[in-house]
């Protein structure tokens, strides 16, 4: 009777109710233990919908795999808005700091094709471009040029060393 359950849960706020409870109820696992482990592993995403996979065995043992929310969701959560701009190259809906971009890049790096934090940040900046989010008050395309020119190399090196 081993199986797999895939759900979206708010980071750090899973509970034994729907969607987890009804899925886990008929299984041999300790629902509270699963909920606690999910909350421990997703706490950094604080309320953002996070994909979670629970694999369980007949003996009640389980493993949890936590996915990473889409980059756009992380940007929206960090910048505090619900929907992107209808005209993202002309009308901007929010602004992020360099530190916020690096934080999102760190959270998302394992899920991206980027091989380092600098390139992960450039992928985040691409999402900002699509959503109409400025970085340090600048158009994200201008910010990406500044990354390419090495203006933020020291910040990325310091963050990678930390």
């Amino acid at each position: 009777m081993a199986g797999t359950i895939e759900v979206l849960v708010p980071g750090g706020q899973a509970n034994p109710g729907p969607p987890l409870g009804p899925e886990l109820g008929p299984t041999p696992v300790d629902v509270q233990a699963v909920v606690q482990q999910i909350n421990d592993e997703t706490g950094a995403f604080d309320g953002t919908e996070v994909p979670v996979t629970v694999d369980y065995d007949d003996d009640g043992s389980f493993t949890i795999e936590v996915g990473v929310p889409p980059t756009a969701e992380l940007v929206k959560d960090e910048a505090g808005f619900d929907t992107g701009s209808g005209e993202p190259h002309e009308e901007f809906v929010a602004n992020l700091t360099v530190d916020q971009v690096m934080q999102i890049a760190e959270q998302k790096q394992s899920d991206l094709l980027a091989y380092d934090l600098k390139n992960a940040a450039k992928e985040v900046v691409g999402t900002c471009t699509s959503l109409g989010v400025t970085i340090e008050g600048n158009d994200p395309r201008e910010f990406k040029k500044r990354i390419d020119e090495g203006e933020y190399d020291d910040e990325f090196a310091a963050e990678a060393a930390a």
Side-chain angles (χ1 to χ4, degrees):
M1 161 135 179
T4 300
I5 296 169
E6 295 179 357
V7 293
L8 280 174
V9 297
Q13 300 172 12
N15 62 59
L20 276 174
E23 292 286 335
L24 291 172
T27 71
V29 300
D30 177 352
V31 176
Q32 273 307 122
V34 172
V35 168
Q36 183 61 49
Q37 187 173 338
I38 288 172
N39 285 337
D40 290 346
E41 293 186 27
T42 62
F45 296 114
D46 191 30
T48 303
E49 293 287 309
V50 180
V52 174
T53 302
V54 179
D55 291 312
Y56 61 89
D57 288 318
D58 292 332
D59 64 1
S61 63
F62 62 90
T63 57
I64 294 173
E65 184 178 319
V66 176
V68 180
T71 305
E73 289 303 315
L74 294 173
V75 169
K76 286 193 249 180
D77 185 54
E78 190 66 34
F81 67 96
D82 292 325
T83 58
S85 172
E87 298 179 32
H89 300 294
E90 297 163 18
E91 216 174 285
F92 299 102
V93 295
N95 184 57
L96 291 176
T97 65
V98 174
D99 289 339
Q100 288 174 307
V101 169
M102 290 197 317
Q103 179 182 341
I104 293 167
E106 284 176 350
Q107 289 177 325
K108 195 68 182 165
Q109 189 170 2
S110 65
D111 222 29
L112 299 174
L113 299 174
Y115 55 89
D116 63 13
L117 186 61
K118 180 177 178 178
N119 285 295
K122 286 168 44 176
E123 289 192 40
V124 172
V125 170
T127 301
C128 290
T129 303
S130 300
L131 292 172
V133 175
T134 57
I135 299 154
E136 302 275 326
N138 296 302
D139 185 301
R141 292 169 292 184
E142 178 60 34
F143 183 76
K144 182 183 173 299
K145 284 181 197 169
R146 291 169 43 201
I147 290 175
D148 288 337
E149 292 167 357
E151 187 172 327
Y152 296 98
D153 285 355
D154 291 343
E155 286 94 331
F156 288 116
E159 195 63 37

